[in-house]
Amino acid sequence: MRIPLRFDSYGNFKIVQFTDLHEGPNKDKAIDIMNKILEYEKPNMVVLTGDIIDGKCQSVDDVKLAINHVAEPMETRNIPWAIVFGNHDDEHNMMSKEEMMKFYMNFKYNVSQIGYKTFDRVGNYNILLKSSKDNSIPKFNLYFMDSGKYAPRFIGGYNWIKFTQICWYKKKALNLKIKYNKNIPALMFFHIPLQEFKKAYKNGVINGKRFEEESCPKINSGLFEFIYNVGDVKGVFVGHDHLNNYCSVFKEIKLGYGGYAGYRTYGEDYIPRGARVFLINELDPANFKTWVRQEGDSELNL
Ligand SMILES: [Zn+2]
């Protein structure tokens, strides 16, 4: 189902980003924290930035069960939600990313797309958020990309955004600019951080914490430079490093983490599970607000 996404009557649009849920066939506490945060924040949309499920799934039914658990907090509240894949999502080898994406897209409130496919990457797409007053005017844009898995062994570490994906982004951004005669401010979501995250952290943190080094790919394929030159993306937000939930800034572009919300995965008790929240106002969408909402916050009563 295609749900039109638009700013509310106050001109606001709130997004909650959950990441690294690592859900399996047995429902766990990650779903509880999702429910609590959604109940408190009441967002207009949810974004899941990868490692949503993992190798704990050992059959097609397990995969579907795990995805059903993850879908429930949004589906029961009628909240549109979009996903990208992380490095663990298909390690069960029971369903391909494309098969899983089709399964996600079958949920009533899921707004993900298979989008542009290249190499092993599935789910490169964008969603326009429309004005509260006029459904034909986009005020904000969300890009979603599949940042892949592991680099070839002789390089080591994690894979990088492919150059074909960068070209897809650039073409999409320029087409939008031509169509609407201006840059539409945007956020970009994927799973594995860019090398620029390290540089951004050195500039200081806006909010959140850093308890581990950024595990970005060894190769920088140049996405950040393209983003910077095009000028539409105001923030890039990822997951992957569970012990980081900071937001920083590099060359005026915010770079940040969603933290982690999974319990059956690596983590530390002193780093609470949680989510990142974005509040965008259509009068000045480039200057969105963002903060971390987590377990232990008095508001959540956890
Ligand atoms: Zn990961």
Side-chain angles (χ1 to χ4, degrees), residues 19-20 22 49-51 86-89 148 150 158 191-193 215 239-242 266:
T19 196
D20 297 71
H22 287 263
T49 45
D51 291 1
N87 50 304
H88 289 293
D89 282 279
Y150 305 97
Y158 292 97
H191 183 69
I192 297 174
S215 55
H240 191 55
D241 295 327
H242 298 186
Y266 86 91

Side-chain angles (χ1 to χ4, degrees), residues 119-261:
F119 296 91
D120 63 337
R121 311 299 164 87
V122 176
N124 303 287
Y125 59 102
N126 78 299
I127 295 175
L128 292 170
L129 308 182
K130 306 289 178 52
S131 157
S132 62
K133 306 205 171 50
D134 185 341
N135 206 21
S136 66
I137 301 175
K139 289 283 184 178
F140 205 75
N141 183 21
L142 305 173
Y143 291 103
F144 301 89
M145 284 213 253
D146 178 354
S147 55
K149 300 195 279 185
Y150 305 97
R153 202 166 283 174
F154 69 95
I155 296 170
Y158 292 97
N159 216 309
W160 47 88
I161 301 283
K162 299 288 186 188
F163 194 66
T164 46
Q165 291 174 286
I166 297 175
C167 294
W168 168 82
Y169 153 69
K170 193 176 173 191
K171 195 172 162 195
K172 183 64 81 179
L174 294 181
N175 282 343
L176 287 171
K177 192 172 180 174
I178 290 165
K179 186 169 177 189
Y180 297 104
N181 207 19
K182 61 169 186 168
N183 263 339
I184 298 169
L187 285 176
M188 188 178 270
F189 293 99
F190 47 86
H191 183 69
I192 297 174
L194 301 171
Q195 285 188 2
E196 283 78 7
F197 274 61
K198 284 188 185 184
K199 296 177 189 169
Y201 174 72
K202 289 193 183 108
N203 289 344
V205 166
I206 296 169
N207 60 41
K209 296 272 189 302
R210 178 194 192 253
F211 285 110
E212 66 177 316
E213 198 179 330
E214 297 77 5
S215 55
C216 31
K218 289 180 184 165
I219 299 217
N220 189 344
S221 51
L223 175 64
F224 186 90
E225 277 307 304
F226 277 84
I227 284 173
Y228 181 72
N229 289 328
V230 172
D232 62 338
V233 174
K234 306 301 173 192
V236 179
F237 289 85
V238 301
H240 191 55
D241 295 327
H242 298 186
L243 310 189
N244 294 340
N245 62 16
Y246 70 81
C247 175
S248 205
V249 64
F250 186 62
K251 292 186 176 178
E252 294 171 26
I253 297 171
K254 291 194 175 86
L255 301 179
Y257 286 93
Y260 72 133

